[in-house]
């Protein structure tokens, strides 16, 4: 590959060269984006908590998709792979036969042509979506037509499996950016594009599966013009928060720090992984906590006295005690 790069003057070979970007994760990002986009279009929300997923194929792409679905709060994530050990993913339920196990959402991430006419006809009732990374998931047009008639919304792989191609577009447009960018930014951009495309396609198809293929041209750009990767720098700027400080942890210490900095005109971003500020897992929670001035160090005793004065200031500002 290095020889081809050199022989073509570094212009015609896109192979993720000298970058931390993982094209498998990039593909998984387009799958997740498409999942979120089609659910939003069909149900008006990106909430996955009522949906059961079956991920067929747990290689690098499929396993990444399964883990992310768990993180996003899916009701259940079922995993299936020819190699049973590969489907043993934390937070997921391994199944032996994906074709006979009920689910709301089928996510093909394995071999092509796996959805045959027989599979499409006999797949358990209740399935509503089919979106994955597999190229040509349907064995033939008839199998696709069967899914369409059953009302199963399918997002074509030209959108759902485009993550690596989108990454290549950035590599083609700006090799320096591609080789230096924080990978999570590129994955986020890919997810954003894929979600928008999947949602737009479902809307153009009037949420009717049999209209998807004929409406695809409405959302897929032509080959003319600049590559889509040229949009990435602007996306970074639009999604970047500029701040003076970053505070990790939104418990008592973190929120107090943010409050004090704001009074001094210093901007800050407060990061908290819990469901709220000062969550139950914060270190200041618990029945045994108490406020005291007695410390072995005079320094801490003086700080406690000063803190009481600050609490009075907060009470006056908020009108709460």
């Amino acid at each position: 590959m290095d020889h081809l790069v050199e022989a073509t003057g570094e212009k015609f070979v896109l192979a993720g060269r000298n970058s931390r970007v993982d094209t498998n994760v990039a593909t998984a990002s387009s799958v997740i984006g498409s999942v979120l986009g089609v659910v939003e279009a069909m149900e008006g929300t990106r909430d996955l908590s009522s949906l059961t997923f079956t991920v067929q194929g747990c290689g690098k792409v499929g396993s990444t998709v399964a883990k992310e679905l768990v993180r996003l709060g899916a009701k259940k994530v079922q995993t299936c792979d020819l190699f049973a050990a590969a489907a043993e993913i934390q937070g997921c339920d391994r199944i032996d036969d994906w074709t006979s196990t009920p689910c709301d959402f089928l996510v093909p991430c394995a071999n092509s042509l796996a959805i045959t006419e027989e599979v499409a006809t006999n797949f358990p009732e209740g399935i509503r979506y089919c979106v994955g990374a597999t190229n040509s998931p349907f064995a033939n047009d008839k199998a696709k037509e069967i899914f369409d008639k059953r009302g199963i919304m399918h997002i074509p792989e030209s959108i759902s499996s485009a993550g690596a191609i989108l990454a290549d577009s950035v590599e083609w447009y700006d090799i320096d950016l591609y080789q230096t960018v924080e990978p999570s930014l590129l994955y986020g951009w890919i997810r954003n594009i894929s979600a928008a495309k999947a949602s737009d396609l479902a809307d153009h198809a009037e949420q009717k599966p049999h209209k998807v293929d004929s409406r695809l041209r409405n959302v897929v750009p032509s080959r003319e013009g600049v590559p889509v990767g040229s949009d990435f720098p602007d996306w970074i700027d639009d999604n970047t928060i500029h701040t003076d400080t970053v505070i990790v942890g939104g418990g008592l210490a973190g929120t107090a720090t943010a409050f004090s900095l704001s009074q001094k005109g210093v901007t800050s971003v407060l990061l908290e992984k819990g469901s709220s500020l000062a969550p139950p897992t914060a270190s200041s929670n618990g029945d045994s906590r108490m406020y005291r001035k007695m410390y072995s160090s005079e320094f801490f005793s003086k700080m406690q006295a000063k803190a009481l004065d600050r609490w009075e200031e907060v009470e006056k500002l908020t009108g709460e005690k």
Side-chain angles (χ1 to χ4, degrees), residues 62-79:
S63 61
T64 301
V65 169
K67 292 172 185 175
E68 186 64 4
L69 289 172
V70 171
R71 191 188 72 82
L72 290 171
K75 179 181 179 181
K76 181 189 288 188
V77 180
Q78 301 169 156
T79 49

Side-chain angles (χ1 to χ4, degrees), residues 104-250:
D104 301 297
F105 212 122
L106 177 61
V107 187
C109 294
N111 56 301
S112 298
L113 313 180
I115 305 176
T116 62
E117 293 176 43
E118 180 181 1
V119 170
T121 299
N122 297 318
F123 202 92
E125 293 296 325
I127 180 173
R128 291 184 277 163
Y129 303 98
C130 180
V131 178
T134 300
N135 293 315
S136 302
F138 296 99
N140 51 43
D141 291 340
K142 181 63 176 178
K144 171 65 165 58
E145 183 182 336
I146 293 170
F147 258 28
D148 287 346
K149 289 182 177 179
R150 293 184 61 181
I152 301 168
M153 179 58 75
H154 169 244
I155 298 299
E157 61 271 25
S158 56
I159 293 176
S160 64
S161 188
I165 301 301
L166 292 170
D168 285 343
S169 182
V170 175
E171 183 181 10
W172 172 263
Y173 176 73
D174 189 338
I175 184 65
D176 292 332
L177 174 61
Y178 182 79
Q179 292 178 341
T180 58
V181 71
E182 165 58 39
S184 62
L185 289 175
L186 187 59
Y187 304 149
W189 174 70
I190 291 170
R191 178 181 298 198
N192 181 265
I193 289 179
S194 303
K197 294 293 185 182
S199 180
D200 286 348
L201 179 56
D203 287 339
H204 278 291
E206 300 171 18
Q207 302 185 4
K208 296 178 180 179
H210 70 277
K211 292 187 176 183
V212 166
D213 290 342
S214 64
R215 305 301 168 84
L216 185 59
R217 64 180 181 276
N218 293 322
V219 300
V220 175
S222 70
R223 296 182 180 182
E224 303 298 326
V226 296
V228 68
S230 62
D231 295 336
F232 184 44
D234 288 337
W235 184 89
I236 293 176
D237 289 339
D238 292 342
N239 289 273
T240 298
I241 298 175
H242 298 276
T243 184
D244 297 318
T245 58
V246 175
I247 302 169
V248 181

Side-chain angles (χ1 to χ4, degrees), residues 289-306:
R289 299 296 182 262
M290 59 182 289
Y291 195 97
R292 68 183 190 273
K293 289 185 178 181
M294 295 179 61
Y295 276 88
S296 57
S297 169
E298 179 182 356
F299 174 76
F300 286 114
S301 292
K302 289 181 177 180
M303 285 184 65
Q304 292 296 76
K306 180 65 175 177

Side-chain angles (χ1 to χ4, degrees), residues 254-311:
T255 52
T257 300
F259 174 71
S260 295
L261 288 175
S262 68
Q263 288 188 309
K264 298 178 181 295
V266 179
T267 61
S268 61
V269 171
L270 185 66
L271 306 179
E272 170 54 54
K273 68 177 182 179
S275 59
S276 65
L277 293 178
T281 55
S283 61
S284 56
N285 278 319
D287 296 337
S288 64
R289 299 296 182 262
M290 59 182 289
Y291 195 97
R292 68 183 190 273
K293 289 185 178 181
M294 295 179 61
Y295 276 88
S296 57
S297 169
E298 179 182 356
F299 174 76
F300 286 114
S301 292
K302 289 181 177 180
M303 285 184 65
Q304 292 296 76
K306 180 65 175 177
L308 283 177
D309 294 336
R310 292 286 285 152
W311 275 115

Side-chain angles (χ1 to χ4, degrees), residues 79-124:
T79 49
C80 186
D81 196 276
L82 287 175
F83 300 96
E88 295 288 353
I89 299 172
Q90 186 175 2
C92 300
D93 295 341
R94 185 181 67 80
I95 58 177
D96 294 323
D97 184 4
W98 64 273
T99 65
S100 62
T101 304
C103 67
D104 301 297
F105 212 122
L106 177 61
V107 187
C109 294
N111 56 301
S112 298
L113 313 180
I115 305 176
T116 62
E117 293 176 43
E118 180 181 1
V119 170
T121 299
N122 297 318
F123 202 92

